[in-house]
Amino acid sequence: MALRFTSEQRLDDGVIERGFTLGEIPGFLWTPSSAAAPSPLILLGHPPIGLHTMYPRLVARARHAAADGFAAATIELPGSGDRPLWPALEQARAELRRAMQAGEPVGPEIIDPLVLPLVDAAVPEWRAALDALLALPEIGGPVGYSGGIISIGVRLAAVEPRIVAAALFAGSFVPRAIVEEARQVTVPVHVLLQWDDEGNDRQAALDLFDAFASKEKSLHANMGGHTGVPQYAADAAAQFFTRHLK
């Protein structure tokens, strides 16, 4: 898939933001304006609610990364934002909402159709984006993956050798098949867990962390719900990437 830039602006801190399309997939690339050499790259994962909705948080993360000397990039997930609706995914989301509103347990019969098809579709797109981004003269690698749907991050860390470190947010449902894939992950892993996350199975997150085969893995657990992540948790993730991408 060819990468084509569609917009460019310089943010007030000097970060250069460019919109692009990768085939029909929208995305953004942020690069530090002062970089004297090709920059390492952080792929910014996000939930499937659309790049426009996520833009304020994504650009804040990208500016934080640029201040540390990293380029950052993201792409729209399948079935999200301006991309075509995915009826099977919409049905799976509706079934999840129904179960949670009814107070029913959320088991594999709901989690697997919700998560696994999205992982299967999104990971090849992230890898195609990586092909295109690393071909740019201003991007040099190494590459890290940060945040987003944790199952996508696990699959990418397991199958993509150019990713050398992954910072993951334990805030989404994890199929048992993804826990098994985590046993193939050997790169350094930094996992953020909100202890009282109302939408997250804490034990599933702990089982996933236990499954990683990485020699270096750290679990940062903080009290509070899904949106109560303290600022110092973001600082710890930034330090993690500075150690492994510089």
Side-chain angles (χ1 to χ4, degrees), residues 12-238:
D12 54 19
D13 52 3
V15 174
I16 299 169
E17 175 187 284
R18 284 176 284 176
F20 65 81
T21 55
L22 182 73
E24 299 298 318
I25 305 167
F28 286 102
L29 171 64
W30 296 272
T31 49
S33 59
S34 57
S39 300
L41 175 66
I42 298 176
L43 301 176
L44 301 181
H46 53 89
I49 57 176
L51 284 184
H52 293 303
T53 302
M54 283 299 300
Y55 176 82
R57 288 163 61 186
L58 286 165
V59 74
R61 291 164 63 193
R63 293 169 94 149
H64 201 300
D68 292 333
F70 303 126
T74 194
I75 56 174
E76 186 71 90
L77 290 171
S80 295
D82 295 329
R83 297 188 65 181
L85 280 177
W86 187 349
L89 195 59
E90 293 300 311
Q91 182 178 345
R93 289 170 179 164
E95 182 60 21
L96 173 65
R97 286 193 297 269
R98 185 204 62 76
M100 294 186 75
Q101 289 168 0
E104 297 173 2
V106 179
E109 71 285 352
I110 294 175
I111 294 173
D112 289 6
L114 178 71
V115 178
L116 292 176
L118 184 58
V119 173
D120 289 344
V123 166
E125 294 181 351
W126 276 108
R127 299 185 77 182
L130 196 48
D131 290 341
L133 292 164
L134 288 176
L136 299 172
E138 61 269 38
I139 308 297
V143 180
Y145 178 86
S146 173
I149 297 172
I150 196 168
S151 294
I152 291 176
V154 172
R155 172 76 61 81
L156 269 171
V159 303
E160 177 48 73
R162 293 170 293 185
I163 291 176
V164 303
L168 305 172
F169 181 36
S172 51
F173 294 105
V174 181
R176 291 303 307 177
I178 296 295
V179 176
E180 291 306 310
E181 289 184 36
R183 304 186 195 283
Q184 304 167 32
V185 174
T186 58
V187 299
V189 172
H190 173 104
V191 178
L192 174 63
L193 171 64
Q194 288 299 103
W195 200 250
D196 307 303
D197 192 333
E198 57 282 357
N200 185 40
D201 182 336
R202 183 195 303 161
Q203 189 58 52
L206 296 174
D207 291 345
L208 178 65
F209 179 78
D210 192 47
F212 287 121
S214 310
K215 289 182 179 177
E216 180 192 328
K217 57 180 181 179
S218 57
L219 178 68
H220 288 241
N222 298 287
M223 305 306 290
H226 188 81
T227 58
V229 181
Q231 178 56 45
Y232 57 77
D235 295 339

